[in-house]
Amino acid sequence: MTNKRQIPFLHWAKRANGTRVAHWKPSPRLRKMGWKNRMLGTGDQEEEVVLAALALNKQVADWENARGSMPAPNKPRRRIFADLITEYRDSSEWRDLAHATHKEYNTRLRFLESWAMDGRLPLDQLDTQMVIDLKEAMLSRPVPKAEGEEDDDDEDEEGGRKPNPNLHRTAATLRVLRLLMNWAVARKWIEINPTTNVRIPTPPSRTAALLPDQVEAAALAAEKSETPAVALALRLNLWIIQRRADVLALNRLSWRVLEDVEPTDRAILANPRGEVKGFRLRQQKTGKWVCCPVPPDMHDAVEAAFERSQWLVPDDSDLTRACPEYLFTRRVRPILDSVGLHKYEFRDMRRSGMMMYAQMRVTLPGITAISGHAVTGKKTILDTYMPGNERLACDAVATALRTIAARKQREQSNG
């Protein structure tokens, strides 16, 4: 067979999910004359792709010789839903998305492609009534997961069960569909976005938060059940207040000595070796760098974990890799249930920690220096490229520890 690398105009690209896709892309001169880009197939259809590319090249050759088979240059090609997904995934907008957003969008795109007649639905046939029917169908009955969708789709980005899976899944799917349709309108593939007048449901915000004593009870239960990594993650995330995916991504390289510390804060945060230590990480969802100081009484536990594996929470069946999110969720659930915390999830640790800091008189800028939230509600270029505010984060943890110590001292005096 002809070597595919030597076939003119045949180009292979790799999508975010690993699928190889072939496109026939004519030269700029041919495009001006009316020849259009075409998607030929995927990596598992290589033989058909090569034959299709050779056939198109023969058409070009015949046209060049006879000028008799040129496609009509003024007749626009009828776009189908699969074209929209392919072009969007090849765009700079897609490349600029965070890895976590790619994962979420891929789940929605697979479902939408299946809904749109496996991608064969012409875009000009997609109307508002079809979108309304999709919304009502998703809300009224369980919807089969798209191909490749994991069992934990009913969890949010912080790893907790959603109170109404149908509502959350419907809202997420319609948001992606609206984005796609806006993208098509901007490129003049369609004139009107069919989702514009369809209200996207708003899932309720979660407000559950654990008290420090409840977190400690769960951590002790984890130790009793011989899952020390879960115990460490529970205790630690009360202080570092990160999303589940970022906690599971913590490794030995992110654990470091912190130098930009006020002398008064150093006296509170330093371990017996005189070191102030914590994590520096780039959040997967936001891309923001944050600094997360860790109280000194937890340093030995963290370093013991890194003696076992390079990952803070490893996969017990393979210590060379981080614990997968779905497996971590399965480990945490029975532990919380065992101490009566049935309505709580690991994602509540992030909210619980922020509430703890606020109750310990830590300022909002200090809390957000650790959590990574934008104080003004909008991420700036500084959030993306500048390092985390190490000094402010250390001040936040030191302030909380001082408040805790002062309260304990008052309780002892009053007792």
Side-chain angles (χ1 to χ4, degrees), residues 47 74 84 139 148 161 185 202 207 233 236 280 291 299 303-304 317 341 387:
E47 184 173 351
N74 296 323
L84 180 57
L139 288 174
R161 298 298 293 183
V185 169
T202 303
T207 59
L236 191 64
R280 183 172 183 268
C291 178
H299 291 188
E303 288 168 358
S317 64
L341 301 175

Side-chain angles (χ1 to χ4, degrees), residues 23 32 54 72 86 109 139 146 150 179 191 193 198 246 268 273 276 306 351 373 384 391 408 410:
H23 292 266
K32 288 180 181 178
L54 292 173
T86 298
L109 291 173
L139 288 174
E150 296 181 356
L179 180 150
E191 294 183 4
N193 186 334
V198 179
D246 292 322
I268 300 294
R273 299 179 293 279
V276 177
F306 287 140
R351 185 183 309 104
H373 289 93
T384 302
R391 179 168 294 209
K408 286 183 178 178
R410 281 199 303 270

Side-chain angles (χ1 to χ4, degrees), residues 185-248:
V185 169
R187 282 149 186 80
K188 302 187 185 319
W189 292 2
I190 55 176
E191 294 183 4
I192 299 173
N193 186 334
T195 71
T196 299
N197 295 320
V198 179
R199 189 183 69 84
I200 296 178
T202 303
S205 299
R206 187 174 174 86
T207 59
L210 293 91
L211 298 173
D213 288 346
Q214 292 175 309
V215 175
E216 182 59 24
L220 291 172
E223 290 177 341
K224 187 176 180 180
S225 64
E226 299 183 351
T227 52
V230 173
L232 180 58
L234 288 166
R235 290 188 177 114
L236 191 64
N237 211 30
L238 190 64
W239 291 92
I240 68 173
I241 50 178
Q242 299 302 311
R243 297 177 182 86
R244 178 187 66 176
D246 292 322
V247 172
L248 297 180

Side-chain angles (χ1 to χ4, degrees), residues 239-311:
W239 291 92
I240 68 173
I241 50 178
Q242 299 302 311
R243 297 177 182 86
R244 178 187 66 176
D246 292 322
V247 172
L248 297 180
L250 292 175
N251 57 37
R252 193 181 292 120
L253 295 178
S254 59
W255 175 247
R256 59 189 61 202
V257 174
L258 307 180
E259 302 290 353
D260 189 12
V261 187
E262 290 283 358
T264 53
D265 293 337
R266 183 176 293 276
I268 300 294
L269 298 175
N271 60 30
R273 299 179 293 279
E275 300 170 323
V276 177
K277 304 193 78 171
F279 293 98
R280 183 172 183 268
L281 64 129
R282 188 172 188 177
Q283 294 179 327
Q284 296 180 41
K285 182 180 179 182
T286 66
K288 182 175 181 178
W289 286 100
V290 291
C291 178
C292 305
V294 173
D297 61 352
M298 300 181 69
H299 291 188
D300 288 345
V302 172
E303 288 168 358
F306 287 140
E307 288 178 3
R308 180 172 179 244
S309 168
Q310 66 172 322
W311 303 101

Side-chain angles (χ1 to χ4, degrees), residues 22-43:
H23 292 266
W24 186 80
K25 297 184 178 182
S27 66
R29 181 181 69 86
L30 291 176
R31 286 200 298 272
K32 288 180 181 178
M33 301 301 293
W35 296 88
K36 303 293 184 181
N37 293 353
R38 298 192 188 183
M39 178 183 172
L40 300 183
T42 58

